[in-house]
């Protein structure tokens, strides 16, 4: 997900503003004024959940994205 300045974050996700989030961490809903609001999401089950290896952790950038 690219950071988007016009998104409003649910109070429970305020610490994650501008960070890349998967659908388990956050979902986007649109309210009456068509403003995107980031709310807690649910796991979609489309791929296996995996934690990064120690080697992969060395390549995670400040933005939280794995860089190779």
């Amino acid at each position: 997900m690219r950071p988007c300045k016009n998104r409003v974050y649910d109070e429970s996700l305020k610490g994650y503003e501008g960070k890349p989030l998967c659908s388990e961490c956050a979902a986007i809903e649109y309210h009456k004024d068509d403003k995107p609001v980031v709310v807690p999401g649910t796991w979609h089950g489309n791929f296996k959940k995996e934690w990064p290896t120690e080697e992969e952790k060395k390549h995670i950038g400040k933005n939280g994205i794995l860089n190779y």
Side-chain angles (χ1 to χ4, degrees):
M1 173 193 311
R2 292 189 179 107
C4 185
K5 294 180 179 156
N6 68 341
R7 291 186 179 143
V8 175
Y9 284 71
D10 181 83
E11 283 299 317
S12 64
L13 297 172
K14 285 289 184 184
Y16 297 97
E17 291 182 64
K19 294 181 181 177
L21 301 170
C22 73
S23 61
E24 184 173 20
C25 299
I28 296 176
E29 293 181 351
Y30 290 88
H31 289 270
K32 286 186 255 181
D33 60 358
D34 287 332
K35 183 168 262 185
V37 178
V38 181
V39 297
T42 57
W43 178 245
H44 48 64
N46 289 336
F47 53 86
K48 183 179 172 185
K49 289 185 193 183
E50 294 181 348
W51 291 100
T53 64
E54 291 303 315
E55 184 61 30
E56 289 172 332
K57 287 179 185 178
K58 295 176 186 176
H59 299 281
I60 296 174
K62 290 181 182 179
N63 58 5
I65 296 175
L66 186 62
N67 301 307
Y68 273 107

